[in-house]
Amino acid sequence: MARGPASSLFRLYASKKSISRFRVLVWNQYLSSAGSYDRSVSPSFPFCPAFDGPNRPFSTSLRDLVRLRLPPQSPKFMGSDTLDAKPFSTALGDGDEDVSDNSAYSSTMVESECDFDADAGKNVEFELEDSARNLSNCEDRDGDDEGLICDSMMVESENGDDNVSSVKPLSFVHVASRESAKLYRELRNAEKGAKQRRSDWDTLQEIFRYFGNSGWASDQSLAIYIGRSFFPTAVHNFRNFFFKKCSADVARYVVSLGPSDDAVEFLFPVFVEYCLEEFPDEIKRFRGMIESADLTKPHTWFPFARAMKRKIVYHCGPTNSGKTYNALQSFMEAKKGIYCSPLRLLAMEVFDKVNGNGVYCSLHTGQEKKFVPFSNHVACTVEMVSTDELYDVAVIDEIQMMADPYRGFAWTRALLGLKADEIHLCGDPSVLDIVRKICSETGDELFVHHYERFKPLVVEAKTLLGDLKNVRSGDCVVAFSRREVFEVKIAIEKHTNHRCCVIYGALPPETRRQQANLFNDQNNEYDVLVATDAVGMGLNLNIRRVVFYGLAKYNGDKTVAVPGSQVKQIAGRAGRRGSIYPDGLTTTLNLDDLAYLIECLKQPFDEVKKVGLFPFFEQVELFAGKMPNVTFCQLLEKFSENCRLDGSYFLCRHDHIKKVANMLQKVPELSLEDRFNFCFAPVNIRDPKAMYHLLRFASSYSQNLPVNIAMGIPKGSARNNKELLDLETKHQVLSMYMWLSHHFKEETFPYWKKAEAMATDIAELLGKSLANANWKPESRAAENQKFQQKRDSYDRPRSLIKVYEKKRQDRSVQHELSEKVAA
Ligand SMILES: Nc1ncnc2c1ncn2[C@@H]1O[C@H](COP(=O)(O)OP(=O)(O)OP(=O)(O)O)[C@@H](O)[C@H]1O
Ligand SMILES: [Mg+2]
C-alpha cells in the first residue's frame, strides 16, 4: 500500500531512535511537504503545517524545537525580556545546588521537601497542600519573594555580576543546549533524582499537567506512534520517571520555564526518547494499525493509470451550458468509451441517446447489465466504473460530486483510476482547482473549456404569492420531501385544471423516466411536474419555470436551508436548450423565500478544498488484521479515527454503512469481504422492511443457500399512500436483490431474472398508481383535514427560511441577554 513521506519518516525515526536525525528529518519533511497536509481532516496526521502548535503554526513550533538545541548565544537564551518574569530561572550553576538553604523563605521550604517519589506522588501532593498554604502565608508575611530570590541569585551567579538579566540565561545554557538523547541517558542512568523544593515540585506538577494537555505534544507524539489514547499514560509514566531521576539543574530549568509551551518543547524530545525505550510494544502495535489505515497519496493506488499520460478535459460551466453534450460528442467519436453517470436514470438516458445515434452502447449499473452486441461503449453509474479496462475516451459527469460527503469517493476513484487516454470531466467550477492539483500529482495534462449558460435564468420577482393556484403549464414545483410532493400534487390538482407528474428519490428510475416522459410529452394533460431535488441532476426536461415550494430541507438531523449550489442546480432545470421552453424562469411559492433564492443564484461557486475517499476492501482487510476481536462497525469506526489522509481528501461519511454493519452482526458466519459487500447494498436504512429483507438475504447467503426473493407483488395499482409506500419498498428490495446478484456469485442469487421481471411490473404499477394518486400522505392526515376545512384556496405555508432566521435571531438576543445578566 502507498505510504506518505511522513510514514516513511516515522519508520526511520522509530527504528533509529535518534532525536537529532529525527529533527533533521522532521524539518526536511516539513519543508518538502509543506501545504500537503491538513490536520483538520485527519486529526491523527502528525505533520501538518496548519498545525495549531502550542498556540502557533506548526512551522514555528518545529523551528523552535530546532532552536532549543541551538548554541547558548541563541537569542532565545540571551534576551533579558524573556527572563525577567521568571525569577526561579536564575542563579543555578552546573551542579545540583539546592536553593532551599538560601533564605528564610527557603527554610520554610525545607520542611516540605520531597524527592518526588513517583509512587508516593499522590500522597505527597496532598501533604503538600497544607504546606503550600503555609507557604503562601509566609510569602504574604515576608513580602515580595522575588526580592529574596533575587538576592540569592546575586550570590550564586557564576560571574558575580549583579545584572540578573544577563546572568540568568547563561546559567541554563548547559541544560537548554544539551542534546536530548544525552539528557535522557543522564536521567535514565541517575541513581536518584535530586530533592526539590516544594514550590518547584508544584510547578513541575503543573508543567506535566500542561504537557499532558498539550494538543501539540499529543499530535507530535503520533510521529513516533504514540496514539492519542495512549498519550496520557505515556505522559504520566514519563512524569514519574522525571520526578524520580531528575537532577536539580534540569528540574530548575524546567521550573524556570513554567507551565508553558517552552517547557513542553524542551521536554518533548526527552519524552520521545523515553517512549521509544519504554513502550516498544505499544509503538509497534499502533504503528501497524496506522500504517494499515494509510489513505495518503491515493493517486499511487492506480499504477497502471499512472503509467499513462492522460489528457484531462474539464468542461466547466453552469447548468444548461452544453458540457455533457460536448463531452458526449468525443465519447461517441471514440473507438472505445465509457460514460460515468451520477444516476441510473442519466446512464439510461445516455444509453438510449447514444444507441439512438447509431453508436452501440451497453448499460452497466449496480442493478442491471445490458450488453449490446458489438458495443465498444458503455454507459455506467460512476460506482460501477472499471479501472481495469482500457478506454480511448471516458466521460465523468457531474465531477463536482467528488465533494459529496457520502458518494464523493466514487468520483475520486474514477478520476484517479480510469485507464483512458482522454478523460472528459463535466461540472461546475467548484472542483476545478482541486482537479488541477490532482492532475499535477498524477502527471496528467489538463485542458479547461469554459462554458456559459445558453440563455440566462430569469428570476420572477412576483412569485406565486403563496398560492398554488398560480401554477402554470410547464412549471416544475420543487419540494424537499416525498410528503410535500404529494401535498403539492393534491393541492394543484384540486384547485386548478393542471395534472401533475411526480419525481422523487424513492421511485425507481424506470418510473421516474416514465413520469418525465409523461411531462415532456405535450400531447397529454400532465403539464406540471412536482419533484424533489431528485430532479436536480443532468435531466433534460421541458420545464419553463422552476418554482421552489420552500427552500429548507431535512438533512437527516435537522431542517436546514438548502445549500446555494443545490438551489442553482435545481433552478438550472428550467429552459433547457432544445426544449419547448428555451428561456428559463425560476421563482418561489412565497415572497419570503425570494431573497434567499436570488442570493443563491448570485453566489459564486464555492471552491472545494477536499474531495472524498473511501478505503478499498483490501485496505479495510489489512486494517482488520491489526484489530482482531472487534465488530465490523467498530472496525470502520477505528479506521476512520486512525486513517491518515492528505490535505485534499476527506473520508466519506459512512453512517448508513455502519447501520447496516450493525444489523449484519446478527449473521456471524459472513466473511469480512462478504460483510463489506453487503454493507454497500442499496438499502433504505430508514425502512425496516427493506432492512429485514437485507438481513434475510445475508443470512441465507451465509448458509450457502440459494437466496429467495420470498415476496409477492400486488395485482393492482396502489389505492392509498400505504399501498404506494409498499410498492416503493418492494421495488427497492427487488433492486437490492439484483444488485447483490451482480456483486456476489450468480448462483447464490439465482432468481435475479425473476426479480428483474417483478421490478419492471412494480415500476409500471407505480406509474399507474401515481397517475391516480389523489390521496393525502398519511402522516399529514390531520393537518390536511384542517387544510380542507379552512378555505377553498390553498393555504399559504409560511416560509421556513424566515422561521429559522427568526429563531436564530431570537436565540442570539437571548444569548446577548444572558451574557449581560452574567456580566
Ligand atoms: N451544440 C449543441 N447542439 C444542440 N443541442 C445542444 C448543444 N449543446 C447542448 N445542447 C442541448 O442542450 C441541452 C443542455 O445541454 P447539456 O445537457 O450538455 O448541458 P449541461 O451543461 O451538461 O447541463 P447540466 O449541468 O444541467 O448537466 C441538452 O438537451 C443538449 O442536448
Ligand atoms: Mg450535464
Side-chain angles (χ1 to χ4, degrees):
M1 185 190 299
R3 284 195 189 95
S7 66
S8 47
L9 164 69
F10 307 155
R11 282 199 307 281
L12 253 173
Y13 177 48
S15 60
K16 296 187 179 166
K17 298 185 180 181
S18 155
I19 191 67
S20 53
R21 217 165 303 171
F22 166 70
R23 247 175 17 235
V24 173
L25 282 168
V26 168
W27 187 239
N28 289 342
Q29 174 60 33
Y30 167 65
L31 292 177
S32 65
S33 65
S36 311
Y37 305 112
D38 184 347
R39 181 170 150 267
S40 60
V41 163
S42 171
S44 44
F45 197 83
F47 295 117
C48 158
F51 217 62
D52 55 358
N55 308 322
R56 71 198 84 161
F58 177 64
S59 53
T60 321
S61 309
L62 267 179
R63 236 172 248 132
D64 286 353
L65 202 66
V66 176
R67 191 144 39 105
L68 272 169
R69 307 290 173 277
L70 290 176
Q73 58 270 31
S74 158
K76 175 146 183 139
F77 301 105
M78 294 300 288
S80 56
D81 53 334
T82 45
L83 299 161
D84 288 346
K86 293 174 182 166
F88 283 96
S89 67
T90 58
L92 298 175
D94 271 332
D96 284 356
E97 299 99 325
D98 189 333
V99 290
S100 60
D101 57 353
N102 282 336
S103 64
Y105 167 73
S106 304
S107 66
T108 319
M109 309 290 293
V110 175
E111 287 167 23
S112 55
E113 253 177 15
C114 78
D115 63 357
F116 302 114
D117 182 344
D119 300 329
K122 266 209 160 137
N123 295 336
V124 172
E125 232 176 313
F126 285 120
E127 282 167 22
L128 283 178
E129 263 178 26
D130 287 341
S131 314
R133 243 173 273 129
N134 294 339
L135 171 61
S136 62
N137 292 341
C138 170
E139 279 171 11
D140 289 341
R141 270 199 315 276
D142 293 347
D144 186 351
D145 71 335
E146 259 188 50
L148 287 168
I149 296 297
C150 284
D151 284 343
S152 74
M153 287 186 307
M154 304 293 188
V155 173
E156 296 218 359
S157 68
E158 279 174 346
N159 52 10
D161 192 341
D162 59 2
N163 182 344
V164 174
S165 299
S166 62
V167 175
K168 281 191 290 185
L170 288 174
S171 61
F172 280 132
V173 162
H174 71 286
V175 179
S177 61
R178 210 176 297 169
E179 217 244 328
S180 56
K182 210 169 142 200
L183 186 55
Y184 170 70
R185 273 197 304 279
E186 277 174 30
L187 295 183
R188 165 69 69 210
N189 296 334
E191 293 245 314
K192 200 166 183 271
K195 289 190 174 184
Q196 302 298 332
R197 299 191 316 186
R198 190 192 54 197
S199 64
D200 288 356
W201 191 86
D202 284 344
T203 310
L204 282 170
Q205 288 281 11
E206 278 298 312
I207 289 169
F208 277 96
R209 216 165 286 140
Y210 191 90
F211 191 100
N213 292 331
S214 163
W216 179 87
S218 166
D219 285 337
Q220 294 295 305
S221 300
L222 292 165
I224 53 157
Y225 300 105
I226 295 294
R228 279 191 207 294
S229 54
F230 187 67
F231 177 74
T233 312
V235 173
H236 177 83
N237 290 9
F238 176 58
R239 187 199 68 166
N240 291 349
F241 162 80
F242 186 89
F243 282 173
K244 259 186 188 162
K245 303 282 194 162
C246 183
S247 63
D249 57 343
V250 173
R252 274 176 216 134
Y253 175 60
V254 175
V255 166
S256 78
L257 297 174
S260 64
D261 297 340
D262 288 342
V264 173
E265 287 169 354
F266 172 76
L267 288 171
F268 185 74
V270 187
F271 171 72
V272 165
E273 294 295 333
Y274 173 78
C275 289
L276 290 173
E277 196 161 296
E278 282 296 311
F279 311 117
D281 294 340
E282 185 58 37
I283 286 171
K284 199 174 153 200
R285 193 194 64 77
F286 189 66
R287 181 178 161 184
M289 200 171 82
I290 289 291
E291 281 178 359
S292 61
D294 189 346
L295 296 183
T296 56
K297 303 219 169 289
H299 61 276
T300 59
W301 302 349
F302 305 95
F304 290 105
R306 290 301 70 78
M308 300 171 76
K309 179 133 179 96
R310 306 178 306 172
K311 178 182 171 187
I312 312 281
V313 183
Y314 195 126
H315 300 268
C316 177
T319 55
N320 192 24
S321 55
K323 305 179 299 286
T324 307
Y325 179 91
N326 281 301
L328 285 178
Q329 299 307 309
S330 307
F331 167 74
M332 288 191 287
E333 282 161 19
K335 277 196 188 134
K336 189 172 177 183
I338 182 165
Y339 166 79
C340 311
S341 155
L343 301 168
R344 281 174 73 195
L345 191 53
L346 213 55
M348 288 175 183
E349 195 179 291
V350 168
F351 167 76
D352 287 344
K353 200 166 170 177
V354 172
N355 280 304
N357 281 340
V359 178
Y360 297 138
C361 180
S362 294
L363 178 70
H364 190 181
T365 70
Q367 284 79 352
E368 65 205 315
K369 278 184 187 165
K370 275 189 193 161
F371 179 72
V372 172
F374 312 111
S375 64
N376 284 324
H377 290 70
V378 61
C380 67
T381 40
V382 67
E383 277 86 358
M384 300 309 291
V385 69
S386 162
T387 53
D388 296 330
E389 287 271 324
L390 205 62
Y391 299 99
D392 295 314
V393 169
V395 177
I396 309 176
D397 211 350
E398 307 291 351
I399 188 67
Q400 72 278 358
M401 288 284 285
M402 287 173 99
D404 185 84
Y406 289 93
R407 293 177 66 204
F409 67 94
W411 276 263
T412 308
R413 174 175 163 267
L415 174 60
L416 294 174
L418 261 168
K419 289 198 289 179
D421 294 324
E422 209 171 289
I423 301 181
H424 291 257
L425 313 176
C426 310
D428 67 37
S430 60
V431 289
L432 178 58
D433 280 352
I434 203 150
V435 165
R436 199 171 268 135
K437 187 163 178 260
I438 290 172
C439 286
S440 72
E441 283 165 3
T442 56
D444 298 320
E445 212 175 349
L446 177 68
F447 299 86
V448 185
H449 295 179
H450 288 283
Y451 291 76
E452 289 299 330
R453 228 187 116 84
F454 290 128
K455 291 259 176 105
L457 191 65
V458 176
V459 178
E460 265 191 0
K462 195 176 162 205
T463 74
L464 263 59
L465 300 170
D467 196 340
L468 284 171
K469 274 183 177 169
N470 294 324
V471 157
R472 278 181 281 163
S473 210
D475 276 354
C476 171
V477 184
V478 177
F480 288 93
S481 72
R482 180 187 178 280
R483 179 181 50 73
E484 282 182 345
V485 163
F486 279 104
E487 277 179 0
V488 172
K489 176 183 156 69
I490 292 164
I492 291 174
E493 291 185 345
K494 184 170 178 200
H495 299 292
T496 70
N497 294 324
H498 300 289
R499 296 297 308 273
C500 302
C501 298
V502 294
I503 293 181
Y504 53 91
L507 288 179
E510 296 85 352
T511 313
R512 283 194 234 176
R513 195 139 76 130
Q514 179 259 342
Q515 291 287 301
N517 290 341
L518 200 64
F519 173 71
N520 280 343
D521 184 358
Q522 297 303 300
N523 301 318
N524 63 41
E525 51 186 341
Y526 291 91
D527 58 347
V528 171
L529 180 64
V530 187
T532 61
D533 41 344
V535 82
M537 228 175 316
L539 280 178
N540 285 306
L541 293 154
N542 278 333
I543 298 174
R544 188 179 63 88
R545 179 172 70 170
V546 168
V547 180
F548 288 93
Y549 179 69
L551 281 166
K553 72 169 185 178
Y554 184 66
N555 70 358
D557 292 331
K558 53 185 186 295
T559 308
V560 293
V562 181
S565 57
Q566 211 180 341
V567 172
K568 265 189 200 174
Q569 182 88 18
I570 297 167
R573 300 299 101 206
R576 306 286 287 182
R577 176 173 173 171
S579 82
I580 56 164
Y581 304 113
D583 301 307
L585 297 172
T586 185
T587 190
T588 55
L589 171 67
N590 298 307
L591 202 56
D592 292 349
D593 288 331
L594 189 70
Y596 183 66
L597 172 66
I598 294 171
E599 191 190 314
C600 291
L601 296 179
K602 274 201 309 203
Q603 259 174 31
F605 287 97
D606 285 340
E607 190 193 319
V608 162
K609 299 272 187 250
K610 288 167 205 264
V611 294
L613 267 190
F614 202 75
F616 297 126
F617 167 69
E618 289 74 11
Q619 289 164 314
V620 173
E621 189 184 31
L622 191 69
F623 186 71
K626 312 284 172 191
M627 299 283 304
N629 309 323
V630 294
T631 66
F632 186 58
C633 184
Q634 288 165 338
L635 188 74
L636 290 176
E637 258 163 33
K638 284 276 167 204
F639 190 97
S640 55
E641 274 168 26
N642 291 299
C643 73
R644 289 208 310 257
L645 293 143
D646 292 343
S648 313
Y649 299 93
F650 64 86
L651 185 72
C652 279
R653 284 184 67 172
H654 47 281
D655 330 9
H656 53 306
I657 295 175
K658 284 198 286 191
K659 283 226 167 82
V660 177
N662 259 337
M663 180 187 71
L664 292 180
Q665 277 312 118
K666 292 178 193 150
V667 188
E669 301 87 1
L670 282 177
S671 71
L672 186 69
E673 187 170 7
D674 290 340
R675 201 174 285 281
F676 185 83
N677 285 334
F678 265 104
C679 284
F680 279 89
V683 63
N684 178 0
I685 53 166
R686 288 195 297 265
D687 186 339
K689 275 189 205 160
M691 289 289 267
Y692 158 75
H693 282 286
L694 179 59
L695 182 63
R696 193 172 56 76
F697 292 159
S699 176
S700 295
Y701 175 89
S702 70
Q703 293 164 46
N704 274 328
L705 298 171
V707 181
N708 285 314
I709 300 172
M711 194 177 73
I713 58 168
K715 290 205 171 60
S717 53
R719 287 160 301 175
N720 52 43
N721 187 55
K722 192 165 170 268
E723 287 182 6
L724 187 70
L725 280 170
D726 190 50
L727 279 178
E728 287 169 14
T729 301
K730 284 196 156 123
H731 192 281
Q732 280 165 19
V733 172
L734 292 165
S735 173
M736 186 163 71
Y737 188 95
M738 292 190 288
W739 188 95
L740 292 167
S741 74
H742 290 304
H743 286 78
F744 290 89
K745 278 186 230 133
E746 218 175 274
E747 58 268 26
T748 50
F749 292 87
Y751 307 110
W752 62 271
K753 277 212 159 140
K754 190 180 160 198
E756 205 174 74
M758 284 168 75
T760 310
D761 289 348
I762 290 188
E764 248 174 58
L765 281 180
L766 274 166
K768 281 185 200 157
S769 310
L770 292 175
N772 307 319
N774 58 357
W775 53 77
K776 292 150 215 146
E778 281 183 352
S779 55
R780 300 280 291 176
E783 276 178 52
N784 280 328
Q785 245 176 4
K786 262 191 261 162
F787 155 72
Q788 266 184 338
Q789 287 162 1
K790 239 183 178 175
R791 61 182 89 144
D792 250 8
S793 77
Y794 185 77
D795 192 15
R796 178 178 177 275
R798 279 191 74 188
S799 160
L800 280 173
I801 293 282
K802 281 259 159 122
V803 174
Y804 297 129
E805 260 173 21
K806 186 163 182 326
K807 268 190 192 165
R808 217 178 45 210
Q809 276 168 7
D810 288 351
R811 265 203 304 272
S812 64
V813 168
Q814 253 179 358
H815 184 69
E816 270 174 29
L817 269 175
S818 58
E819 269 187 353
K820 271 183 196 159
V821 170

